[in-house]
DNA sequence: CCGCCTCCGTACGCCTCCGTATGGTCCGAG
DNA sequence: CTCGGACCATACGGAGGCGTACGGAGGCGG
């Protein structure tokens, strides 16, 4: 089954999976080829080199792990409920898929930095808009958006590292998100 | 000058510096030897293997990047001021020394995880105690301590990655910390 | 049937790093 | 002064990864 030709996208998704569970250094052509039951001959037909594969994987991540969540959450009309939904969705997603934390772990890599910059701006901007919609003045909204996002990032890191300090069960996590939300949305 | 024998500590500090600016993978015996103007012969006299070097570097980090800050801040009697001092100190330190973010980037590494667990517990615990001293009930204090710490971690990541979304200038950063503090310490 | 294009396997050379073996230097004790 | 231990350089073998060269299978138009 699936003995058909490997596509460029197949390599890219495999590379993204490799980033998620072994970091950027885990994106190596030969091991990846073994996992796909192929050889380097296939790879170097689709890509000029390893860097191109990494770029393709990162673009995949950029498209699938930001906009899709924003869209899914956009149906909710009330800003507060939208924020709650966004946070719980994002944090619960980070529980089972550590790709965000894995990408962040290579934040200084020259191929990662520009993608990360775009994704960060988009997310922080969206959060800030959310707080603006709740009635906070622009400067306040930006601060709270940044705070919310950094808290999410830190949380994702703790979860990926398996730190016991972070809540692990789904229920505890929902309670935690609720209380966090109370703090973040309390009037100045 | 300093042509004297290299000590175990010299290798460990060099390794820690390597982690800070190239990540855990940057701790390689041969490049490190070149940087120290030595050879592998020296290294393998002091350490049995590369893992031992990494452990030594991590223990160095554990001792010098948590307790020392806590002690330095302990002189301040008022809990709120102590928290303010702690946050500004930590965040300003993270501006010029990215070692915290670099260690976190390898959180899943088997040598890093236990050290990170201890450091995380210590820091989150200290922050929670701080909020307790301010009069918050234990559960509230723990939530706020965790929130404060995840926010710090995320902030450190953004700064290390050079993200423009994070404030960079010292003045802007102090203002940001002040506003964050207002949010974190607002009564429920 | 021919030839071309797509896609992939095999085999090779190169590089970087780990770890070991072994010998050399310096220095203090006796 | 010699001998042993601390410290280090050199040289080697081996593993694993990158990129290239090249050949071969399969489909498809002519």
């Amino acid at each position: 089954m699936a003995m058909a030709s490997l596509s460029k996208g197949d390599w890219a998704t495999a590379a993204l999976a490799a980033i998620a569970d072994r970091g950027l250094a885990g994106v190596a052509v030969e091991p990846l080829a073994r996992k796909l039951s192929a050889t380097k001959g296939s790879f170097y037909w689709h890509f000029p080199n390893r860097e191109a594969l990494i770029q393709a994987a990162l673009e995949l991540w950029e498209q699938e792990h930001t906009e899709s969540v924003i869209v899914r959450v956009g149906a909710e009309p009330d800003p507060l409920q939208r924020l709650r939904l966004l946070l719980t969705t994002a944090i619960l997603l980070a529980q089972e898929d550590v790709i965000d934390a894995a990408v962040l772990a290579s934040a200084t890599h020259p191929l990662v930095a520009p993608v990360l910059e775009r994704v960060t701006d988009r997310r922080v901007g969206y959060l800030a808009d959310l707080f603006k919609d709740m009635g906070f003045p622009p400067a306040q909204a930006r601060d709270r958006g940044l705070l919310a996002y950094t808290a999410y990032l830190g949380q994702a890191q703790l979860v990926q590292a398996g730190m016991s300090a972070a809540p692990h069960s789904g229920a505890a996590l929902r309670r935690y998100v609720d209380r966090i939300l109370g703090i973040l949305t309390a009037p100045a």
Side-chain angles (χ1 to χ4, degrees), chain A residues 50-60 111 115:
Chain A
R50 178 175 172 264
E51 285 201 353
L53 173 62
I54 294 179
Q55 274 191 335
L58 289 176
E59 284 168 12
L60 207 64
L111 291 175
V115 180

Side-chain angles (χ1 to χ4, degrees), chain A residues 60-117:
Chain A
L60 207 64
W61 171 73
E62 181 177 9
Q63 290 170 3
E64 294 192 349
H65 279 79
T66 296
E67 224 57 40
S68 78
V69 175
I70 289 183
V71 167
R72 191 189 323 176
V73 155
E76 173 63 49
D78 179 49
L80 175 59
Q81 293 307 320
R82 199 150 79 243
L83 175 60
R84 180 192 310 276
L85 186 59
L86 177 60
L87 279 189
T88 52
T89 303
I91 291 188
L92 286 179
L93 271 184
Q95 287 267 62
E96 45 196 49
D97 186 1
V98 293
I99 180 64
D100 263 41
V103 172
L104 211 71
S106 298
T108 59
H109 191 287
L111 291 175
V112 175
V115 180
L116 197 56
E117 172 89 36

Side-chain angles (χ1 to χ4, degrees), chain A residues 136 144 182-188:
Chain A
F136 289 102
R144 288 175 191 249
I183 299 172
L184 288 175
T185 60

